[in-house]
């Protein structure tokens, strides 16, 4: 079970605490003053971003990504869901020998969590938990708010450097150096990571499915065929499948729409135009 404290989680927690207090007590204070109107506004805005980042981080860390029910068995005669994932060799339905269970579509066994995870994207060491069916949305939203927080803090850092005060050149020099070494690479990494997951979301793919799709595409091309990702329903349908049907809630930690995670609509389903995950 993920969500336990680990060295990686401690590092993330310390970084969050350091960035928050250095941003408020040093950058905002030196640039505007904490008691001024601009200082209060920037403090409130950055605190909101920090709270959203932390809350979504905790939700992603402690939410079970989704387990395969012991009673699950694929219904090969279900005409409404004609696509059943099979093993690469042999043509048999996917079966996990370690869990002794059939694997639902898009599920994979995590060797770290030691169980099969529904719609597994990857195991995140920074959360000590898998990112899967039930927590992918809050994970995605966490990355969004974490990136906004880092960019906002970096802007405040640069802005406070324009203010010529004795304090900014003396006792806070180490704060600026450490913050810069944290914020610049972190902003770049989160930006690339968010861009990657936006790309995956637009195609309704997981990280695992992307790499499996690359292999499938190469095999298909060798046979003179064209590979098509079966869960790609179109950009808008893909977005609402992953982020929810209400656009206003896309950046909110709301995921009551996600369904069981045992079946997913595909482009080959008779009712592929529906907007909910079954």
């Amino acid at each position: 079970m993920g969500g336990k404290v680990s060295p990686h989680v401690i590092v993330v927690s310390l970084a969050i605490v350091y960035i928050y207090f250095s941003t408020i007590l040093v950058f905002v204070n030196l640039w505007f003053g904490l008691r001024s109107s601009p200082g209060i506004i920037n403090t409130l805005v950055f605190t909101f971003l920090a709270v959203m980042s932390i809350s979504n981080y905790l939700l992603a860390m402690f939410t079970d990504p989704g387990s395969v029910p012991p009673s699950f068995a694929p219904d090969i005669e279900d005409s409404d869901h004609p696509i059943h994932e099979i093993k690469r060799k042999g043509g048999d339905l996917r079966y996990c020998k370690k869990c002794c269970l059939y694997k639902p579509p898009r599920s994979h066994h995590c060797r770290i969590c030691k169980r099969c995870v529904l719609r597994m994207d990857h195991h995140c060491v920074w959360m000590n938990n898998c990112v899967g069916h039930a927590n992918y949305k809050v994970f995605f939203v966490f990355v969004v708010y974490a990136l906004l927080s880092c960019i906002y803090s970096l802007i405040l850092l640069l802005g406070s450097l324009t203010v010529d005060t004795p304090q900014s050149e003396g006792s806070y020099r180490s704060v600026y150096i450490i913050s810069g070494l944290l914020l610049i690479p972190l902003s770049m990494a989160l930006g690339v990571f968010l861009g990657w997951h936006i790309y995956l979301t637009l195609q309704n793919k997981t990280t695992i499915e992307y790499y499996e799709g690359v292999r499938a595409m190469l095999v298909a091309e060798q046979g003179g065929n064209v590979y098509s990702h079966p869960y790609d329903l179109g950009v808008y349908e893909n977005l609402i499948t992953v982020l929810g049907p209400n656009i206003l809630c896309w950046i909110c930690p709301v995921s009551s729409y996600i369904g069981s995670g045992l079946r997913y609509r595909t482009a080959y389903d008779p009712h592929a135009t529906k907007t909910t995950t079954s």
Side-chain angles (χ1 to χ4, degrees):
M1 180 67 182
K4 297 178 181 178
V5 175
S6 69
H8 291 86
V9 172
I10 293 174
V11 169
V12 172
S13 302
L14 292 175
I16 290 173
V17 171
Y18 181 85
I19 290 173
Y20 177 77
F21 284 105
S22 63
T23 300
I24 300 299
L25 300 180
V26 179
F27 309 149
V28 174
N29 188 34
L30 291 180
W31 193 2
F32 304 107
L34 292 178
R35 296 185 178 181
S36 67
S37 295
I40 293 173
I41 292 173
N42 280 279
T43 297
L44 291 175
V45 172
F46 186 75
T47 299
F48 169 77
L49 293 176
V51 168
M52 292 301 292
S53 298
I54 294 170
S55 60
N56 280 281
Y57 176 70
L58 292 174
L59 280 172
M61 182 168 63
F62 288 105
T63 299
D64 190 313
S67 302
V68 181
S71 61
F72 173 78
D75 185 0
I76 59 176
E77 296 182 356
D78 186 358
S79 60
D80 289 335
H81 298 84
I83 301 299
H84 297 278
E85 294 180 356
I86 61 174
K87 295 168 64 175
R88 291 190 183 92
K89 296 180 180 180
D92 298 326
L93 293 172
R94 297 167 67 237
Y95 185 82
C96 181
K97 295 181 179 180
K98 296 179 180 179
C99 296
C100 297
L101 294 170
Y102 281 105
K103 291 183 180 180
R106 315 185 79 176
S107 64
H108 295 273
H109 186 88
C110 176
R111 60 180 178 82
I112 300 175
C113 295
K114 298 180 180 179
R115 61 177 177 139
C116 287
V117 176
L118 299 178
R119 195 188 180 275
M120 181 178 174
D121 187 89
H122 69 287
H123 183 91
C124 180
V125 296
W126 301 106
M127 300 189 319
N128 197 22
N129 195 15
C130 270
V131 177
H133 170 71
N135 65 349
Y136 182 83
K137 163 71 182 295
V138 290
F139 169 78
F140 183 92
V141 175
F142 159 67
V143 176
V144 171
Y145 281 110
L147 177 59
L148 291 176
S149 299
C150 287
I151 293 175
Y152 201 141
S153 180
L154 194 56
I155 292 173
L156 292 171
L157 183 156
L158 296 174
S160 64
L161 288 174
T162 63
V163 180
D164 187 15
T165 63
Q167 289 178 306
S168 62
E169 297 179 0
S171 57
Y172 295 123
R173 187 183 300 273
S174 60
V175 175
Y176 279 96
I177 293 174
I178 295 173
S179 297
L181 291 175
L182 273 174
L183 290 171
I184 294 175
L186 196 54
S187 297
M188 294 174 63
L190 286 172
V192 172
F193 199 57
L194 178 60
W196 168 248
H197 280 280
I198 290 175
Y199 167 78
L200 292 177
T201 298
L202 292 175
Q203 299 195 38
N204 198 3
K205 291 182 180 179
T206 64
T207 299
I208 294 175
E209 287 171 349
Y210 169 81
Y211 290 107
E212 288 183 341
V214 170
R215 292 192 293 267
M217 180 176 63
L218 293 176
V219 172
E221 288 179 350
Q222 291 175 355
N225 300 314
V226 178
Y227 171 76
S228 177
H229 182 56
Y231 302 104
D232 186 356
L233 306 174
V235 172
Y236 180 71
E237 288 292 326
N238 292 341
L239 285 170
I240 63 176
T241 297
V242 176
L243 301 178
N246 189 343
I247 297 178
L248 298 177
C249 294
W250 280 3
I251 57 173
C252 300
V254 178
S255 56
S256 59
Y257 63 90
I258 59 175
S260 66
L262 299 177
R263 290 173 174 172
Y264 289 89
R265 290 185 300 122
T266 73
Y268 307 103
D269 289 349
H271 309 293
T273 56
K274 292 181 181 179
T275 57
T276 57
T277 304
S278 59

